[in-house]
Amino acid sequence: GVQPVMGLSAICRVVQSIALGFLIESFQTNKNGYTWASVLVFCSVVVLFEHHHNFFFLWRKGMQLRTASVANIFAKSLRLSSIQQADVSLSGNVMNLASNDVERFMMASLFISHIFWAPVQSIAVLGVGLWLIGYAFAAGFALLVVIVVPLQSYLAG
């Protein structure tokens, strides 16, 4: 399945940032540098394989959904009466559905899982930031959520 692998990737991305911080810190103390570099490389490999595995699997599911939707549109268009089929605007609408709108199903299948995993990963980053930095991180995180999220919603709309 896709979700357990995405969960492992979310964990590895948070651990990756922590390992990078400890690796940089190890340059001054000369302790555990190879350990933190190994953790960083391992997490990068996990994220790499997760990304490609999920992209392949979800792209394939999106293509299946797209094919089924186009087949349904075609079957429905065959059931239209011949008078309605002669209407030029109707054939344009059918072509628009088959080419543009169905493409959105395929793209949505790639990113729908992030609706769940993005907030989970954000909460994990908030927890790690509170642990390592303190309440100043929470203030910056809150400012980020209050300003950037509405700005992205505005610019996307």
Side-chain angles (χ1 to χ4, degrees), residues 18-95:
I18 295 168
L20 181 61
F22 285 138
L23 177 65
I24 293 171
E25 188 178 298
S26 74
F27 291 141
Q28 293 176 347
T29 62
N30 288 332
K31 292 182 181 178
N32 298 331
Y34 289 113
T35 304
W36 293 117
S38 300
V39 169
L40 191 64
V41 168
F42 175 75
C43 288
S44 297
V45 169
V46 168
V47 169
L48 172 84
F49 283 116
E50 174 272 336
H51 175 74
H52 290 289
H53 169 75
N54 284 347
F55 193 85
F56 172 75
F57 182 76
L58 293 174
W59 188 266
R60 191 166 172 231
K61 287 296 177 190
M63 288 296 286
Q64 290 171 352
L65 181 63
R66 179 182 178 195
T67 304
S69 299
V70 169
N72 283 335
I73 291 169
F74 180 70
K76 180 68 175 177
S77 69
L78 291 178
R79 286 185 297 212
L80 294 174
S81 67
S82 60
I83 297 170
Q84 290 174 332
Q85 288 177 352
D87 187 12
V88 175
S89 66
L90 182 65
S91 63
N93 287 340
V94 169
M95 286 301 296

Side-chain angles (χ1 to χ4, degrees), residues 97-145:
L97 276 173
S99 61
N100 297 335
D101 297 341
V102 174
E103 181 75 21
R104 294 181 186 173
F105 287 138
M106 192 171 66
M107 294 305 293
S109 71
L110 290 174
F111 302 110
I112 196 77
S113 296
H114 293 284
I115 290 175
F116 174 74
W117 286 111
V120 168
Q121 196 167 359
S122 296
I123 291 169
V125 167
L126 178 62
V128 170
L130 283 171
W131 172 57
L132 292 175
I133 298 171
Y135 291 112
F137 184 84
F141 192 85
L143 190 65
L144 178 79
V145 169

